[in-house]
Amino acid sequence: MVRELGRLDLAELALDEPGPGEVVVRLEATGVCHTDLHVMHTGFGHPLPVLLGHEGTGVVEAVGEGVGRSVGDRVVLGWRSPCGECRWCARGDERRCRTPPRAARRLRANGDKLFQTLQLGTFATRTVVHESAAIDIPEGLPPEQACVIGCAVATGVGSVLETAKVWEGARVGVIGCGAVGLSAVQGARIAGAAEIYALDLDDRKLEAARRFGATHIGPGEQLDFAFDVVGRPETVTQGLAMLGHAGTLVYIGLPQPGVLAELELNPFFDKRTRIVVSHGGDHWPAVDFPRLAQWALDGKLDLAGMVSKTIALDDVERALDDLQRGDVIRSVIVF
């Protein structure tokens, strides 16, 4: 948990009973993601104290009033479940919902109620979430693989298939080949892209990109799509420069507070360039998670290769350091 920005604390948590529409999930595995680092250092709009973690899988252990699922269900947790009530949901555009339902704050440490990262909070043995965030998955997928569906894979693959809607034969570039970028590479492969260019400063990540389906290493030209997973002004500029006529820059990476990017408007106008923002791949957990899980079981999507190592909960600080250094694709906490 994070009580003050930049510092991680390990604490014993107390758990209240779930309320109406809520479920208690006993976590089996959870991934350690760059977004957790972002929350730890910037807050990312989360009040403190906050429980990190948002990429989890586990078993439903208790349910609140009116919940239409059973104890024992195996689920992946999703932080983008649509509310069903906002103007976007009302017009049938659930993937643009910006108000996912959340459970009440039912986790406590030393008497303080904890806020949960992205409505979930999975760096714990148990968590309480809204029932819509607990998505059933098929049997047979190991927990350490299933959990990465919840963020990295859904974001990367969703950015390609849902945000950008990459077509068969398209030419694609991916800037930043961490877990999300490698998932975007896999999404482009699944979409049938003819060329997939992988860009990263770390040769280890470029080798991984090759394994996941990249056809070229380095910048491409006249591309149809460029996916900026880094989210810095210089990568925005690089992505735009790689695009051809009517190309699309898909902005995925979380920006640092106050960072600005400048665009030269003439080439932007002349090339009919588009910029679209991917918010978590615009994924819809109830629709996308079972499909992604089945693709993994069918061998179409490589989840095993995404997991660099499994760790214990008390190794999470080291795992965050590994993530910053680029030493892992994904460390997964196994309970």
Side-chain angles (χ1 to χ4, degrees):
M1 58 175 286
V2 176
R3 290 189 180 276
E4 61 181 66
L5 294 181
R7 195 187 81 189
L8 191 65
D9 292 324
L10 191 63
E12 185 172 342
L13 304 185
L15 180 72
D16 294 338
E17 293 295 318
E22 300 172 354
V23 298
V24 176
V25 176
R26 174 175 53 81
L27 277 304
E28 295 180 316
T30 181
V32 180
C33 175
H34 270 287
T35 300
D36 298 309
L37 270 173
H38 197 65
V39 173
M40 179 178 169
H41 290 293
T42 73
F44 193 36
H46 293 70
L48 302 181
V50 59
L51 176 62
L52 297 180
H54 59 282
E55 197 176 67
T57 188
V59 176
V60 174
E61 192 169 76
V63 300
E65 181 183 348
V67 171
R69 63 168 56 256
S70 303
V71 170
D73 287 350
R74 187 160 174 260
V75 296
V76 172
L77 302 184
W79 53 270
R80 290 201 79 256
S81 295
C83 69
E85 299 176 354
C86 68
R87 58 183 295 196
W88 291 274
C89 288
R91 69 170 188 245
D93 193 9
E94 290 87 350
R95 293 184 185 276
R96 303 296 177 271
C97 178
R98 57 184 299 172
T99 53
R102 68 172 73 243
R105 297 169 73 175
R106 302 199 184 278
L107 298 170
R108 291 174 284 109
N110 300 320
D112 294 329
K113 289 187 176 182
L114 301 183
F115 203 82
Q116 294 162 235
T117 296
L118 297 178
Q119 298 80 236
L120 302 181
T122 58
F123 286 5
T125 55
R126 286 168 177 79
T127 192
V128 179
V129 301
H130 190 273
E131 64 171 321
S132 66
I135 311 302
D136 290 326
I137 56 169
E139 292 294 329
L141 197 59
E144 67 273 14
Q145 297 179 32
C147 69
V148 299
I149 290 174
C151 184
V153 172
T155 298
V157 176
S159 294
V160 174
L161 301 184
E162 299 300 336
T163 307
K165 299 190 182 301
V166 169
W167 58 81
E168 185 175 358
R171 305 177 73 238
V172 171
V174 177
I175 304 173
C177 293
V180 173
L182 294 174
S183 297
V185 168
Q186 292 209 66
R189 172 178 51 77
I190 290 169
E195 297 176 9
I196 306 170
Y197 293 80
L199 293 85
D200 202 286
L201 299 177
D202 191 328
D203 288 340
R204 297 169 299 178
K205 294 182 179 181
L206 295 177
E207 291 174 9
R210 286 276 197 193
R211 295 197 302 271
F212 286 111
T215 59
H216 297 75
I217 299 300
E221 297 179 350
Q222 301 297 311
L223 301 184
D224 299 302
F225 299 93
F227 294 86
D228 179 7
V229 190
V230 179
R232 295 177 181 170
E234 57 269 33
T235 54
V236 169
T237 299
Q238 184 176 32
L240 289 172
M242 292 193 299
L243 294 173
H245 176 71
T248 299
L249 176 73
V250 183
Y251 185 88
I252 304 173
L254 292 176
Q256 292 297 317
V259 173
L260 302 177
E262 293 185 359
L263 304 178
E264 186 180 354
L265 294 182
N266 275 338
F268 188 77
F269 180 84
D270 291 342
K271 292 168 65 175
R272 299 180 65 178
T273 302
R274 291 193 312 156
I275 298 178
V276 297
V277 174
S278 166
H279 187 265
D282 299 304
H283 70 265
W284 184 350
V287 173
D288 298 333
F289 287 7
R291 177 177 59 170
L292 292 167
Q294 192 59 54
W295 283 350
L297 291 172
D298 293 342
K300 188 176 181 179
L301 178 67
D302 181 3
L303 297 184
M306 300 285 293
V307 181
S308 301
K309 60 181 177 180
T310 57
I311 61 171
L313 181 58
D314 55 7
D315 290 326
V316 66
E317 195 160 10
R318 187 182 309 167
L320 289 168
D321 290 339
D322 289 344
L323 194 65
Q324 281 189 303
R325 290 192 303 267
D327 292 343
V328 294
I329 299 173
R330 191 55 105 230
S331 295
V332 174
I333 302 166
V334 175
F335 298 97

